[in-house]
Each structure stands twice: as structure tokens, then as C-alpha cells.
Amino acid sequence: MSKTPVPALFSWEFASDPYPAYAWLRQHAPVHRTQLPSGVEAWLVTRYADARQALADQRLSKNPAHHDEPAHAKGKTGIPGERKAELMTHLLNIDPPDHTRLRRLVAKAFTPRRVAAFAPRVQELTDRLIDGFAGRGEADLIHEFAFPLPIYAICDLLGVPAEDQDDFRDWAGMMIRHGGGPRGGVARSVKMMRGYLLDLIHRKRGDLGDDLISGLIRASDHGEHLSENEAAAMAFILLFAGFETTVNLIGNGTYALLRNPAQRALLQDSLAAGESELLETGVEELLRYDGPVEMATWRFATEPLTIGGQEIAAGDPVLVVLAAADRDPERFPGPDVLDLARRDNQHLGYGHGIHYCLGAPLARLEGQTALATLLRRLPDLRLAADPDELRWRGGLIMRGLRTLPVTFTPEEPR
């Protein structure tokens, strides 16, 4: 352990640019025990090799029952409000064999074929949202674009009727404010979402469609033993995990391109030539460079184990810092440089092992479509604020901007 002091973690300055602190931890304290803002103590794993190992280690359970703290503290280690709303039995909180059973049910919704069939709808949503501000010459790309796009997309996939989707947008907005809204607002929104999902499951039983919730009902009716609570929890986590990651992918990605004009110009030239390769490698690089998920979701040691030479006690929480691992110079040459053409790019932005993100194909489609369409339609997009004025949302797991004000030459009416 170095004698130099550990950099301040979880401050506003840290939230704006955590990468220097993570570089220090990788070098001096790669598996570091710290007190989180909630008061819970946890281990931060920051090197790529250690992170990859930890993500696949089945001795690190996803089930909060393995947390050694008193029961009242366990509510501090998941999604706010999910415990009170009885939405705990989802893929981010369970281990095999239940995890295997539930994941198999949902995997059918995210096959490459099904996601490819959804591409025209994603393009339609993208253009519709840009139409809403393209004539103004200015916009907040988080609130007007990056946030609503994945909400409407995942609602379509789940089978939420169009007339109810704005309610989902409001609840989701409350959930990602992380303290920026009224007290108790997150828990209330989660509870309202659960009530709505249970009601929707009841309604769909009599009128099954080709959507994901109908698929979950069919599976449970054919002997897969999916309870209504499990179905509601599954729909909830697909919504929650399926939209906030993509909001941040689009927001962080656009911001990184605006801060790296030479790379952005290369991508625009490639798109103008009708090529897709740089867009595909570019989105993977944006996921590595400043990805939407700063830390993998909670894990708890079920027995004593060693990570990176550090002994971890049974019951201890472990947080794998994806943002630190994906800037590890031992794995990525020039890790602090944005290189959209980077090929050897096995980043951990979508996790690793049995909890690898199920929705990764959909997130990639949304990210590629959103960024390509923005750059084609608004080619002179400019940041309309000093980078130091931008604020990042508080919270442990996700990394994303609160706002992203931009200006551009107004688009002629189409």
C-alpha cells in the first residue's frame, strides 16, 4: 500500500472525472476497501484481470441474502425501492439455478434475429425524436433524445400500450434522478411501476401478443413455473437495466465525440461513405472509454476468497469497477485515448460470465442508430456549455450526464 493518501472518492469532482482516482487505485490499491456514501463498506476491484475473474467467480453471489450486514442495511445495496415493492426476484439479484431458468425465458426476446427485426422501429423512434428539436438549433440531448429513445423502445418490446408509455417515461425519470427529485419519489415510482406491471400481466393473459410480457406469460403457462411476482420483477429489471444503460451510452458517447473532434470527423466521413465498420467498432470503444455502467451490480462473498492478492471475508460486498478495468493499461494500450478504430477491445462494459448483459444486442443497435442519425442529420453539432459546468448524476452503479446542451444549424423541414 502506498503512503500517499487515497484520492477522494464519490465527491462531485470525482463524479465529473473518476479516471485519475481509478488509475491511482489500480496502481496502489487494486482491491480497495472503502466506505460508500450509503455507509456500507465494500471492496472495489479496479484491475482488468481481477475484474474479469471476479465477474465470473460463482463464489461471489448476486443474492443480497449473503450480505453480512444486519437486515436493515441490505436495502442500501440494490435498486432503491425494489425491496419494499417486492421486486427482488430478478436477474441481478439471483444465482443459478433460478438465474439460469429465468434468463433462458427472457433470452428469446434478445436474439440477434429479433433485435434485427426491431431495427426499423428504433430508426423510426430516433428520427421522430430528432424531428422534435431539429428545427430549433438547440436541444438538451439527454432529456429530448437519449432518455426517451430507450424508454419507448423497451416499452414496445415489453408490450406496454402506446397510451401508457408516457407514464413509464415519468416513473423512469424519477428512478434515475438518484436524489434529485422529491424525497421518497424513487420508491413511489418503483411501487407504481410494479402495480402497473401486475395489472398489465393480468390484462395480457386474455389477449396474448408477440411482446416480451406475453412471452413470459406463455412460458409460465407451459410449466416454467414463473410466478406473477417473478414476471413483474423480470419486466421491471428489463425496463430499468434496459433504458438507463442506453441513456448513458448515447449521452456519454455523444459527449466523448464532441470532446474529440478528430475522431468524430473520422466517423462522419465513414458514415458519409456508407460504411458501418467504424460505427460498430466506435460504439464498442465509447463503451470502453466512458461507458454507461461505472460499477457492476452488487456481489457478496459466500465464503472467504482472494482477489488480486487481497483476502475477502465471507459476507463482504464486492463492487467490480468496470470504468477502472476498461482503462487498465495492462490490457488496453493508450487507455485514456479515444480510438474509434480500436480492434482488440474486449471491454467489460456489458459485464462478463453468466451475468453478461442480455440486452447488449439491443443497446448496441440503439447506440449505433442514435449516434449515426445524430451525426448525419446535425453534422455541426456543438457543445453549448463549458465541460466544467456539466453535472453527472450521483449514484454508484451508473455513470451518466444530467444534461447535454447542444447547438447546431437548424434543419430544414423534412
Side-chain angles (χ1 to χ4, degrees):
M1 176 73 73
S2 168
K3 290 183 179 177
T4 55
V6 178
L9 304 176
F10 313 119
S11 64
W12 281 110
E13 293 77 15
F14 171 83
S16 297
D17 183 10
Y19 297 104
Y22 287 149
W24 188 96
L25 288 176
R26 273 195 315 267
Q27 183 175 354
H28 299 289
V31 182
H32 174 64
R33 188 176 175 98
T34 190
Q35 186 174 69
L36 306 174
S38 64
V40 172
E41 291 202 352
W43 294 96
L44 303 182
V45 179
T46 55
R47 286 182 181 167
Y48 182 90
D50 296 336
R52 192 174 165 92
Q53 173 208 325
L55 290 172
D57 193 327
Q58 298 205 14
R59 296 171 299 173
L60 290 173
S61 169
K62 301 292 289 175
N63 188 339
H66 291 291
H67 189 191
D68 70 342
E69 293 225 5
H72 69 82
K74 291 180 186 172
K76 298 177 179 178
T77 59
I79 297 167
E82 66 177 359
R83 183 176 298 274
K84 281 187 180 176
E86 297 177 36
L87 288 170
M88 295 290 290
T89 48
H90 57 66
L91 290 174
L92 297 185
N93 282 343
I94 55 175
D95 304 315
D98 284 340
H99 177 270
T100 311
R101 172 176 65 92
L102 292 178
R103 189 178 174 102
R104 185 176 65 244
L105 291 179
V106 187
K108 299 165 190 168
F110 295 104
T111 60
R113 179 191 293 181
R114 184 149 186 171
V115 170
F118 197 53
R121 176 60 175 155
V122 173
Q123 186 65 62
E124 179 189 332
L125 287 168
T126 300
D127 279 315
R128 190 182 83 198
L129 289 167
I130 294 176
D131 287 345
F133 57 78
R136 286 208 319 261
E138 62 178 16
D140 175 1
L141 287 185
I142 301 299
H143 291 281
E144 297 182 76
F145 185 59
F147 175 69
L149 174 58
I151 281 283
Y152 293 136
I154 200 73
C155 279
D156 280 357
L157 272 182
L158 286 170
V160 175
E163 61 269 21
D164 296 341
Q165 292 188 4
D166 282 336
D167 287 338
F168 261 74
R169 181 176 173 170
D170 292 343
W171 295 331
M174 186 64 71
M175 285 163 59
I176 69 169
R177 285 180 193 167
H178 298 312
R183 187 175 178 82
V186 175
R188 267 199 308 278
S189 294
V190 171
K191 190 173 181 180
M192 290 171 74
M193 197 175 284
R194 175 185 184 268
Y196 176 84
L197 289 169
L198 283 171
D199 181 62
L200 185 61
I201 289 165
H202 280 303
R203 282 188 278 148
K204 282 189 177 291
R205 279 197 183 281
D207 185 21
L208 294 177
D210 189 36
D211 55 81
L212 181 49
I213 289 179
S214 294
L216 292 174
I217 294 168
R218 277 195 196 91
S220 59
D221 288 346
H222 287 89
E224 287 281 4
H225 310 300
L226 190 71
S227 70
E228 283 201 345
N229 258 355
E230 284 179 327
M234 181 68 72
F236 166 74
I237 200 59
L238 290 172
L239 178 87
F240 187 82
F243 87 88
E244 191 171 4
T245 49
T246 310
V247 174
N248 296 345
L249 167 58
I250 296 168
N252 298 6
T254 304
Y255 180 60
L257 291 173
L258 292 174
R259 301 292 307 278
N260 291 269
Q263 288 292 299
R264 174 238 187 115
L266 285 175
L267 180 54
Q268 285 182 301
D269 290 346
S270 172
L271 292 169
E275 300 164 354
S276 63
E277 187 176 1
L278 191 62
L279 176 64
E280 291 167 8
T281 60
V283 166
E284 298 309 305
E285 173 68 349
L286 292 168
L287 282 160
R288 181 203 70 80
Y289 178 77
D290 197 9
V293 183
E294 188 162 346
M295 301 186 190
T297 50
W298 294 83
R299 284 163 167 78
F300 307 93
T302 58
E303 60 184 79
L305 66 143
T306 302
I307 303 175
Q310 176 66 57
E311 293 181 5
I312 309 287
D316 278 1
V318 174
L319 289 167
V320 178
V321 187
L322 307 179
D326 281 343
R327 295 266 191 127
D328 188 341
E330 294 292 315
R331 178 59 185 83
F332 301 102
D336 296 322
V337 174
L338 182 70
D339 177 8
L340 298 181
R342 191 185 294 267
R343 294 203 171 277
D344 179 16
N345 195 358
Q346 294 293 311
H347 64 77
L348 299 176
Y350 287 125
H352 173 64
I354 64 168
H355 290 283
Y356 182 83
C357 177
L358 257 180
L362 177 62
R364 286 189 170 104
L365 168 67
E366 292 173 344
Q368 290 174 16
T369 304
L371 292 171
T373 309
L374 263 184
L375 293 177
R376 284 195 197 105
R377 290 188 56 178
L378 309 174
D380 64 345
L381 201 65
R382 300 176 297 276
L383 192 60
D386 188 298
D388 292 337
E389 296 172 2
L390 296 178
R391 289 290 171 262
W392 297 77
R393 282 199 301 273
L396 207 58
I397 304 300
M398 300 291 183
R399 173 166 172 76
L401 287 161
R402 290 178 181 268
T403 60
L404 184 57
V406 294
T407 56
F408 46 86
T409 300
E411 191 180 67
E412 294 295 323
R414 301 207 302 165

